[in-house]
Amino acid sequence: MPERRRLDPLAPWIELSTTAQDWASADPALLATMLGQLHLIRAFEETVLELAGEGLVHGPAHSSIGQEGGAVGSIVGLGSTDAINGSHRGHHQFLAKAINHVSGGALDPAALVTADIQTVLQRTLAEILGLAQGYCRGRGGSMHLQWFEAGALGTNAIVGGGVPLAAGNAWAQKHAGTTDVTVSYFGDGATNIGSVLETMNLASAWKLPLAFFIENNLYAVSTTVAESTGEPRLSARALGFGIPSWRVDGMDPLAVHLATKEAEQVMRSGQGPAVVEVEVYRFFHQNGPYPGSAFGYRTKEEEAAWRARDPLDRVAREMIALGQIDTAGIAAVREQALSAMRDAVAQLLEADPESAGKRRIRPELWPDVDFVNVGVRGDASELTGLRTLEPTEYRGELETKKFVDAVAGVMDRRMAEDARIVVLGEDVHRLNGGTNGATKGLAKKFEGRVLGTPISENAFAGLGGGMALDGRYRPVVEFMYPDFMWVAADQVFNQIGKARHMFGGENPVPLVLRTKVAMGSGYGSQHLMDPAGIFATSPGWRIVAPSSAADYIGLMNTALALQDPVLVIEHVDLYADSGDVPAGDLDYFIPLGRAALRREGTDVTVISYLSMVKHSLEAVELTGMSADVVDLRWLDRASIDWETIGTSIRKTNSVLIVEQGARGTSYGAWLSDEIQRRFFDYLDQPVERVTGGEASPSISRVLERAAIARTEDVVAGLEIIKLGLGTR
């Protein structure tokens, strides 16, 4: 018979509940503050549902009524420099944090609503209604509430989407030398999401002061937790990652508070993350003013049983029993909260002159429609005054440098000059510079700032995004291959790319994402894509694609100076190439939005980037055509050099766009459309394109070659242009 030994988890798993003694021992001021916050949030949510019923809330109204105890109990003890983020059902969390911030963490039930609290209520309601005075200037609405000053990092419409961002904030808190913590709130459904589990692992490995706060309200929309998972005690997730966890009755705000305080002790002492699961109940359906029983997925009896455990009533009963308040005092607190909401509504609504008995939003409070695209990216004013240099025009002393040495060299230089820069990615800290030598020497020189990550792109990309939004650090994230962006697509596109615009257009997101195109290396269909076409059609990102070592230095410096997320695309074919660079100079900047004219001619404008610039120049030589060869450098729609492109097209009247990758995700598809819209009157023939095939590159050498473009494919494209020239 085999020997068997029971294994115990590394971390404790605790179920905590309160006793009468706990309530008697609680600070009366704490209980009074919790009572006040609970009533303010309840009155707020009732108002939101009332307005939703009138059709005045555009989009969803995810009510937190019934769940207030979890938010209030956990947030009431946090400071303003502690941070939270949350999910689509996050009004209660945002309000608890904002009220805590403006009140200093103490409320007087006899004078509940100060001017500052009234402002919080009105601005939060304005945001949910989509109005300009909202915290995100009307863009965030119900699901995207952010107020950095109060430590509210932003609620999130993607289930589990905010959790990796919270880890980045926690990393910044820890490495800035604070004892602050971050609490990330999410529901039961998110405990089965990869980004949450990846982040639990990363936070545990790196001992981040991050609380994973699970609001288990027992349902997704209508699907129960018991149907969704084999272990419905969701705090059990923590055990697999060595994270201490607590399970609490979320209808008891004091129990939540005590459990959170124990979790805080772990986090603030440097021991790493914690998990707190609170079992709560939303009194209404997923969205809107009707109970779940109206939709048939739960019974009225179940709802009544949970309503009898209302956290507002629980705190009131305990305080009355302790002689701290009476029923008239409770009623007065309730009336103050309702009155505050009536006042907030009166500032935002008016009688509808076209519909008797109905209300409308005051027309002057809507955002100006001209604001619609403001803040997709920043205005790049941060680049003002930087020393620019155009390598094609440089006439000073030169030295020869390999492309890959330029990659490592400029990062070394910037990290030495700017202690905020942190590099993270898989194996960047080992192998003498990662898998290609791009981070050579950095790990030894900059201890603690070159972070080798687990294989979890969702978690570490989002962590980088959270670091960038925090503002104390400038993350440089590496994806070993661009195809891995699909694993992290939510963090890359829904979170990092949209964050500035979604939360009002003002918050910088200074992040650089490096990756390499590896076509021709034999790594097959899931490693060899060109990401330019995907990123170019995704809002928020800037894109650079250097074709030479000299360009790489200047473009990376500019990317690191920008307050926007920047994708820096490299190509393995260029790593071993040597080229002339300004001698001893790693500090110049290539201006935003400036292309390079690599060759001048009159017959055709050839537009390309990365390694295909070299192939384009070779093809022009082989055909003997007179061509302008434009090296784009900047690929995103906000930064592309239309002046250089337009000047060339007006001269040549013909365009050939050259790229290496698959036609389906082609960058040139977007570019050719835009060129024909802008310069149609100057074109004597359709824009011609050179791309790879429809299929992704295969591992077979011959099939891989057939799937990607090289010099001979550019020659073929030029021959088509030449035929068109013959008909002019």
Side-chain angles (χ1 to χ4, degrees):
M1 292 289 291
E3 292 186 3
R4 300 169 69 250
R5 178 169 61 89
R6 178 187 174 90
L7 297 177
D8 294 319
L10 292 175
W13 185 21
I14 299 163
E15 187 164 71
L16 184 150
S17 57
T18 57
T19 64
Q21 183 58 46
D22 292 319
W23 285 93
S25 301
D27 184 350
L30 169 68
L31 300 182
T33 297
M34 288 199 298
L35 179 73
Q37 288 197 14
L38 288 165
H39 276 277
L40 287 168
I41 294 168
R42 176 66 59 85
F44 182 93
E45 292 288 66
E46 289 171 343
T47 301
V48 170
L49 291 184
E50 178 186 350
L51 298 182
E54 295 180 38
L56 295 173
V57 177
H58 185 62
H62 297 110
S63 166
S64 66
I65 291 176
Q67 300 188 192
E68 302 97 335
V72 169
S74 57
I75 291 172
V76 70
L78 299 181
S80 291
T81 56
D82 295 316
I84 69 162
N85 73 359
S87 67
H88 59 283
R89 192 181 313 282
H91 303 169
H92 54 325
Q93 299 146 9
F94 179 84
L95 284 170
K97 194 67 167 73
I99 291 168
N100 228 37
H101 172 63
V102 300
S103 68
L107 296 180
D108 179 1
L112 184 61
V113 184
T114 65
D116 286 339
I117 288 174
Q118 186 67 46
T119 298
V120 165
L121 297 173
Q122 182 174 320
R123 289 192 67 192
T124 308
L125 184 60
E127 184 59 46
I128 290 170
L129 295 175
L131 306 183
Q133 64 181 263
Y135 283 100
C136 302
R137 304 172 76 177
R139 282 192 180 144
S142 174
M143 297 188 288
H144 308 111
L145 296 166
Q146 182 193 74
W147 189 22
F148 271 179
E149 180 186 315
L153 305 180
T155 55
N156 206 291
I158 302 298
V159 173
V163 179
L165 299 172
N169 196 82
W171 191 96
Q173 289 170 324
K174 176 178 179 177
H175 291 271
T178 78
T179 58
D180 296 332
V181 302
T182 299
V183 183
S184 188
Y185 293 84
F186 50 91
D188 42 272
T191 61
N192 303 316
I193 292 284
S195 59
V196 174
L197 301 174
E198 287 183 29
T199 305
M200 284 185 179
N201 177 65
L202 191 57
S204 179
W206 290 1
K207 302 295 183 189
L208 301 182
L210 174 61
F212 298 86
F213 197 98
I214 307 168
E215 286 191 329
N216 181 2
N217 67 16
L218 310 182
Y219 291 89
V221 176
S222 62
T223 304
T224 67
V225 169
E227 292 175 282
S228 300
T229 179
E231 172 52 280
R233 298 171 301 171
L234 302 179
S235 45
R237 303 289 193 273
L239 303 181
F241 302 104
I243 301 175
S245 58
W246 285 259
R247 193 164 189 260
V248 190
D249 176 9
M251 310 305 270
D252 178 349
L254 181 60
V256 176
H257 175 70
L258 295 175
T260 304
K261 280 299 174 186
E262 290 184 7
E264 281 182 47
Q265 290 177 4
V266 171
M267 295 184 287
R268 296 191 197 278
S269 63
Q271 297 177 62
V275 169
V276 178
E277 176 195 3
V278 299
E279 196 169 73
V280 293
Y281 197 81
R282 54 171 165 83
F283 289 174
F284 292 89
H285 180 52
Q286 162 78 354
N287 168 35
Y290 301 103
S293 57
F295 299 88
Y297 61 87
R298 58 192 194 191
T299 66
K300 291 181 179 180
E301 291 75 18
E302 176 185 310
E303 290 173 342
W306 279 94
R307 282 183 177 274
R309 300 177 56 207
D310 191 322
L312 279 69
D313 294 341
R314 175 66 187 273
V315 174
R317 285 197 308 271
E318 297 288 355
M319 291 181 70
I320 290 170
L322 292 167
Q324 297 174 6
I325 200 169
D326 57 20
T327 55
I330 297 295
V333 170
R334 166 75 169 163
E335 178 53 35
Q336 289 177 79
L338 291 172
S339 177
M341 290 313 303
R342 287 193 293 268
D343 291 345
V345 169
Q347 295 298 314
L348 304 177
L349 303 186
E350 64 183 14
D352 189 341
E354 299 178 359
S355 300
K358 293 189 176 182
R359 298 184 290 184
R360 71 175 187 181
I361 291 169
R362 294 177 181 271
E364 69 273 15
L365 301 182
W366 291 110
D368 191 314
V369 294
D370 291 339
F371 184 58
V372 63
N373 290 321
V374 174
V376 172
R377 301 168 188 82
D379 62 8
S381 58
E382 60 270 24
L383 302 181
T384 302
L386 298 179
R387 180 174 67 87
T388 62
L389 182 149
E390 174 50 64
T392 61
E393 299 171 359
Y394 181 71
R395 298 295 179 265
E397 183 181 355
L398 298 170
E399 62 179 343
T400 301
K401 188 181 290 286
K402 277 188 176 181
F403 190 103
V404 72
D405 292 337
V407 174
V410 71
M411 192 59 63
D412 185 318
R413 177 66 169 170
R414 293 282 68 78
M415 291 182 75
E417 295 285 317
D418 188 346
R420 298 174 299 168
I421 297 174
V422 176
V423 175
L424 61 154
E426 294 157 10
D427 296 307
V428 296
H429 63 318
R430 299 271 166 78
L431 306 176
N432 196 26
T435 55
N436 291 97
T439 54
K440 184 178 181 180
L442 301 183
K444 291 181 180 178
K445 191 170 182 179
F446 304 106
E447 186 176 353
R449 293 169 57 199
V450 181
L451 312 176
T453 66
I455 300 174
S456 52
E457 281 81 5
N458 228 337
F460 72 73
L463 182 140
M467 290 167 61
L469 284 162
D470 171 82
R472 283 174 281 194
Y473 295 92
R474 286 184 169 270
V476 178
V477 178
E478 178 183 308
F479 283 175
M480 191 178 292
Y481 292 93
D483 306 65
F484 299 172
M485 73 177 182
W486 298 119
V487 180
D490 174 51
Q491 297 302 312
V492 170
F493 301 119
N494 265 330
Q495 310 298 339
I496 296 167
K498 293 179 181 177
R500 180 197 281 266
H501 183 268
M502 182 171 67
F503 289 123
E506 295 180 358
N507 295 328
V509 191
L511 177 144
V512 168
L513 174 60
R514 288 183 48 248
T515 194
K516 62 176 183 285
V517 176
M519 294 180 202
S521 65
Y523 270 74
S525 297
Q526 296 174 331
H527 283 65
L528 300 183
M529 75 174 295
D530 176 354
I534 302 298
F535 276 82
T537 55
S538 301
W541 283 89
R542 297 188 189 270
I543 310 166
V544 298
S547 67
S548 69
D551 275 13
Y552 191 94
I553 293 167
L555 291 171
M556 177 55 85
N557 281 332
T558 305
L560 287 168
L562 280 163
Q563 297 279 39
D564 295 314
V566 184
L567 172 68
V568 178
I569 311 174
E570 302 160 14
H571 200 298
V572 294
D573 284 357
L574 298 173
Y575 280 155
D577 283 2
S578 295
D580 290 335
V581 302
D585 189 354
L586 292 169
D587 299 322
Y588 60 88
F589 298 79
I590 291 179
L592 179 70
R594 181 177 296 178
L597 193 59
R598 300 297 182 189
R599 179 178 178 132
E600 294 190 51
T602 58
D603 290 339
V604 60
T605 299
V606 180
I607 303 174
S608 193
Y609 58 95
L610 288 177
S611 63
M612 293 308 290
V613 173
K614 179 171 63 175
H615 290 292
S616 296
L617 291 169
E618 291 173 354
V620 170
E621 283 290 331
L622 289 170
T623 60
M625 289 188 70
S626 177
D628 273 359
V629 177
V630 178
D631 181 350
L632 287 175
R633 290 176 169 165
W634 295 91
L635 306 187
D636 60 278
R637 67 172 62 241
S639 311
I640 195 167
D641 187 351
W642 289 117
E643 182 178 352
T644 295
I645 292 169
T647 298
S648 179
I649 291 173
R650 292 183 188 98
K651 176 178 61 173
T652 67
N653 310 118
S654 301
V655 176
L656 177 66
I657 299 172
V658 176
E659 56 189 316
Q660 189 174 44
R663 181 169 288 266
T665 54
S666 163
Y667 173 77
W670 167 81
L671 183 60
S672 63
D673 174 74
E674 193 70 21
I675 285 173
Q676 292 186 93
R677 292 175 187 275
R678 289 172 180 259
F679 305 110
F680 181 81
D681 289 344
Y682 297 94
L683 294 172
D684 288 344
Q685 57 182 303
V687 173
E688 186 63 32
R689 291 168 54 205
V690 172
T691 72
E694 180 183 0
S696 300
S698 305
I699 287 178
S700 165
R701 186 184 298 274
V702 294
L703 293 178
E704 179 186 49
R705 173 61 194 88
I708 64 177
R710 294 282 192 177
T711 301
E712 51 267 43
D713 303 285
V714 185
V715 168
L718 288 170
E719 293 295 343
I720 293 172
I721 293 290
K722 187 182 292 186
L723 289 174
L725 294 176
T727 64
R728 289 204 293 200

